[in-house]
């Protein structure tokens, strides 16, 4: 078994794979104040509650966009799983050709998504990740990463709206019955859900037009991918495990174990 950690600004997503098969996935809140012991105790409890013997985990890999947690999580893996995890950093083999101005600027999560997208869906491809930010990755017909778009994230936009006003409440992010909303809660839900659907639809349309590839496949992942995909027809499929699958592929690409 191997363990994969996708460390984002909001959540840390874990996956345990038994060979190619997913044995367990879960997420916890990202907290830079937590120690390796706190993360380790939390991890062992979740593994035990799901019937997974931590001693069977023989390797791991970490992708992180939160540098403050890199040492903490590496130490957690060492102390509680007795493994030295791979980290997505320069020198790790990805098989990805990066046709951008500065490849080192590209977030680890976007690199992983590109690797998984190529492996699972081929090229050309647009990958949309609804995370803390909403990112669009574009892979051309050669499978090269040629660039993309970074837009605000859905949850962050809602948080900004709530925190910046005195009377607007915090609401669940879900589709209201109508675009013409009748109360404050559904007004906000309409703005967030239909607003982001419009943003995504327009950006994908512009990408397809610039590439002159009207039939390029579009894959969405991330927490709110299903909510938005139901509103627009430019998203061909939703793959909630794209990033974790990408980490699995990278681990086996850089390790003899399988």
């Amino acid at each position: 078994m191997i363990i994969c950690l996708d460390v984002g600004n909001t959540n840390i997503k874990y996956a345990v794979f038994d060979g190619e098969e997913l044995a367990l996935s879960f997420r916890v809140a990202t907290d830079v104040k937590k120690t390796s012991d706190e993360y380790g105790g939390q991890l062992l409890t979740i593994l035990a509650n799901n019937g997974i013997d931590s001693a069977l985990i023989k390797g791991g890999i970490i992708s992180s966009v939160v540098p403050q947690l890199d040492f903490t999580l590496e130490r957690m893996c060492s102390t509680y799983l007795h493994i030295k995890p791979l980290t997505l950093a320069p020198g790790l083999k990805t098989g990805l050709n990066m046709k951008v101005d500065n490849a080192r600027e590209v977030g680890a999560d976007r690199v992983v998504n590109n690797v998984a997208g190529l492996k699972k869906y081929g090229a050309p491809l647009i990958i949309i990740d609804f995370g803390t930010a909403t990112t669009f990755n574009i892979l051309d017909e050669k499978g090269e990463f040629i660039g993309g778009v970074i837009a605000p994230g859905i949850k962050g936009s809602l948080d900004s709206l709530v925190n910046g006003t005195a009377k607007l409440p915090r609401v669940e992010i879900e589709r209201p019955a109508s675009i013409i909303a009748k109360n404050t809660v559904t007004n906000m839900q309409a703005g967030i859900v239909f607003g982001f659907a419009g943003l995504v639809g327009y950006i994908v349309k512009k990408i397809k037009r610039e590439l002159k590839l009207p039939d390029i496949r579009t894959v969405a992942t991330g927490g709110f991918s299903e909510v938005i995909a139901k509103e627009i027809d430019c998203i061909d499929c939703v793959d909630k495990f794209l990033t974790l699958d990408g980490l699995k592929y990278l681990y086996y690409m850089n390790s003899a174990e399988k």
Side-chain angles (χ1 to χ4, degrees):
M1 287 185 172
I2 66 166
I3 190 166
C4 302
L5 285 73
D6 173 29
V7 185
N9 290 292
T10 305
N11 292 308
I12 302 173
K13 289 172 280 187
Y14 290 80
V16 178
F17 290 95
D18 189 356
E20 293 288 343
E21 297 300 314
L22 179 66
L24 175 67
S25 69
F26 59 94
R27 66 179 62 202
V28 302
T30 302
D31 186 350
V32 296
K33 295 179 181 179
K34 278 187 179 178
T35 66
S36 60
D37 293 323
E38 289 174 304
Y39 275 114
Q42 185 181 48
L43 173 60
L44 293 185
T45 298
I46 294 173
L47 292 177
N49 287 343
N50 286 274
I52 293 179
D53 183 356
S54 62
L56 297 178
I57 297 174
K58 303 299 183 183
I61 184 168
I62 299 174
S63 165
S64 174
V65 296
V66 187
Q68 305 97 305
L69 280 177
D70 290 355
F71 175 77
T72 299
L73 294 174
E74 288 174 28
R75 183 179 175 85
M76 176 200 74
C77 288
S78 173
T79 303
Y80 290 90
L81 299 177
H82 309 293
I83 61 172
K84 181 179 173 67
L86 300 176
T87 57
L88 189 58
L92 191 76
K93 182 169 63 176
T94 66
L96 190 64
N97 198 356
M98 310 274 279
K99 295 291 187 178
V100 294
D101 291 341
N102 185 351
R104 291 178 180 270
E105 289 180 350
V106 179
D109 52 341
R110 300 182 76 185
V111 172
V112 175
N113 283 342
N114 287 338
V115 170
L118 278 176
K119 175 82 171 176
K120 299 180 79 171
Y121 302 102
L125 187 68
I126 300 171
I127 302 168
I128 308 171
D129 190 347
F130 294 92
T132 304
T134 304
T135 60
F136 299 73
N137 292 354
I138 301 144
L139 299 163
D140 68 9
E141 293 164 297
K142 298 177 183 178
E144 297 175 337
F145 176 51
I146 59 171
V149 177
I150 299 176
I154 292 178
K155 186 177 181 300
S157 295
L158 179 59
D159 289 343
S160 177
L161 185 63
V162 172
N163 295 334
T165 56
K167 292 187 176 181
L168 292 182
R170 194 166 299 278
V171 301
E172 292 293 325
I173 298 173
E174 58 185 27
R175 184 192 194 277
S178 171
I179 185 66
I180 304 172
K182 301 293 187 182
N183 57 63
T184 299
V185 170
T186 53
N187 267 258
M188 294 172 67
Q189 290 172 333
I192 289 291
V193 174
F194 299 134
F196 269 87
L199 178 150
V200 170
Y202 184 74
I203 289 177
V204 170
K205 179 181 177 181
K206 292 277 285 184
I207 291 169
K208 289 181 174 182
R209 185 182 300 161
E210 189 166 320
L211 290 177
K212 297 181 173 62
L213 292 172
D215 298 323
I216 184 173
R217 193 170 193 182
T218 302
V219 177
T221 190
F224 300 107
S225 52
E226 290 176 330
V227 175
I228 302 301
K230 290 176 181 177
E231 300 303 319
I232 46 179
D233 57 11
C234 64
I235 294 176
D236 297 301
C237 69
V238 173
D239 187 340
K240 300 298 284 291
F241 295 101
L242 186 72
T243 309
L244 294 172
D245 280 337
L247 285 171
K248 174 186 68 177
Y249 299 143
L250 285 170
Y251 177 84
Y252 290 135
M253 191 186 301
N254 288 273
S255 171
E257 181 188 344
K258 191 166 184 178

